[in-house]
């Protein structure tokens, strides 16, 4: 008989449930009272672990920041369109996992000084990663681009990545952020970012990108 699983630490459970609630309803619409009720613990127990709602937001953001920085480092390994497609799909999966941050981004930045400063650093890290993607595609022979075009293209890719969820939400406010919509949304997001490279891709690489995005094109 397998050994019984150890109960998850309360602090960990609190973050998991809070992330689910924030993603489902938006951070401004979720109170600590709702979180404690969902967890079936007392407000005092929640307060013991996270004395303020901002601390919950910061803890979740810290997790996202660590995962994102680890993923962005993989941009150095991109050499072809397939690599790039996988990289962007993983990037959008991570954003989707923490979609409350982007769903309520302006409000969160206004209220939370830590997020304001850290998001600026993340924007710079994303732009650097986009440059690495462009450089890797160039080295792999998939892309030809004037060096002067690299910086504005990388910046445009960051804009698309950062505001992709807002676009998805505007397209279908009632359903866009539902879990069952994730697959199609992730594919659209990856294609939106990589489509900025279409004027620069070699013909075979361009054809391969359209093939990879075939489901999106058909929809």
């Amino acid at each position: 008989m397998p050994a019984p699983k150890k109960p998850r630490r309360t602090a960990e459970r609190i973050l998991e449930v809070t992330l689910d609630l924030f993603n489902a309803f938006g951070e401004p619409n979720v109170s600590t009272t709702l979180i404690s009720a969902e967890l079936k613990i007392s407000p005092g127990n929640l307060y013991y672990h996270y004395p303020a709602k901002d601390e919950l937001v910061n803890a979740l953001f810290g997790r996202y920041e660590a995962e994102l920085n680890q993923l962005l480092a993989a941009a150095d390994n991109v050499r072809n369109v397939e690599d790039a497609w996988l990289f962007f799909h993983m990037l959008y999966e991570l954003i989707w996992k923490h979609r409350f941050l982007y769903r309520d981004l302006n409000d969160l930045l206004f209220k939370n000084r830590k997020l304001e400063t850290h998001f600026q650093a993340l924007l710079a890290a994303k732009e650097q990663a986009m440059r690495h993607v462009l450089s890797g595609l160039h080295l792999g022979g998939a892309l030809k681009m004037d060096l002067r075009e690299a910086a504005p293209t990388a910046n445009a890719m960051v804009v698309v990545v950062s505001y992709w969820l807002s676009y998805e939400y505007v397209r279908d406010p009632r359903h866009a952020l539902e879990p069952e919509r994730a697959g199609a949304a992730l594919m659209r997001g990856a294609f939106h970012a990589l489509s900025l490279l279409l004027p620069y891709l070699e013909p075979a690489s361009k054809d391969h990108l359209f093939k990879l995005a075939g489901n999106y094109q058909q929809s």
Side-chain angles (χ1 to χ4, degrees), residues 13-75:
R13 286 182 57 238
I14 290 171
L15 287 182
E16 290 177 5
V17 170
T18 300
L19 179 60
D20 288 343
L21 291 172
F22 282 177
N23 281 340
F25 303 110
E27 181 272 339
N29 302 314
V30 176
S31 66
T32 53
T33 302
L34 176 59
I35 295 169
S36 58
E38 186 72 17
L39 284 157
K40 297 181 173 58
I41 63 175
S42 69
N45 195 356
L46 177 63
Y47 181 83
Y48 172 80
H49 293 282
Y50 299 98
K53 187 178 171 183
D54 270 358
E55 295 198 21
L56 286 164
V57 173
N58 290 342
L60 290 171
F61 176 77
R63 288 182 165 194
Y64 167 68
E65 187 176 32
E67 290 183 64
L68 180 63
N69 284 327
Q70 183 176 4
L71 175 58
L72 292 180

Side-chain angles (χ1 to χ4, degrees), residues 146-187:
D146 189 315
L147 286 177
R148 295 171 297 177
E149 296 172 307
T153 302
N155 185 256
M157 295 172 85
V158 172
V159 172
V160 170
V161 168
S162 299
Y163 290 95
W164 154 71
L165 267 182
S166 296
Y167 173 74
E168 287 290 328
Y169 184 77
V170 171
R171 287 179 75 250
D172 188 2
R174 295 182 181 274
H175 306 106
L177 302 184
E178 296 298 322
E180 61 269 17
R181 300 297 181 97
L186 294 174
M187 188 172 291

Side-chain angles (χ1 to χ4, degrees), residues 187-209:
M187 188 172 291
R188 280 194 295 271
F191 187 73
H192 288 326
L194 288 172
S195 67
L196 293 170
L197 304 184
L198 288 174
Y200 311 104
L201 289 174
E202 293 297 314
S205 295
K206 184 183 297 187
D207 289 344
H208 192 48
L209 176 58

Side-chain angles (χ1 to χ4, degrees), residues 89-168:
H89 200 83
M90 293 175 66
L91 178 57
Y92 281 113
E93 279 185 338
L94 183 58
I95 292 173
W96 181 269
K97 178 182 174 183
H98 301 86
R99 56 193 176 278
F100 83 93
L101 290 168
Y102 290 85
R103 170 179 179 160
D104 306 304
L105 183 57
N106 290 351
D107 184 64
L108 285 169
L109 294 183
F110 178 76
K111 296 187 301 184
N112 190 311
R113 177 62 178 165
K114 177 179 179 179
L115 261 63
E116 179 186 346
T117 55
H118 281 239
F119 248 103
Q120 291 172 3
L122 286 186
L123 283 178
K126 286 179 187 176
E127 185 164 353
Q128 184 66 26
M130 297 306 114
R131 292 193 188 203
H132 287 162
V133 168
L134 298 179
S135 176
L137 289 172
H138 178 75
L139 287 172
L143 175 145
K144 286 188 176 180
M145 176 180 284
D146 189 315
L147 286 177
R148 295 171 297 177
E149 296 172 307
T153 302
N155 185 256
M157 295 172 85
V158 172
V159 172
V160 170
V161 168
S162 299
Y163 290 95
W164 154 71
L165 267 182
S166 296
Y167 173 74
E168 287 290 328

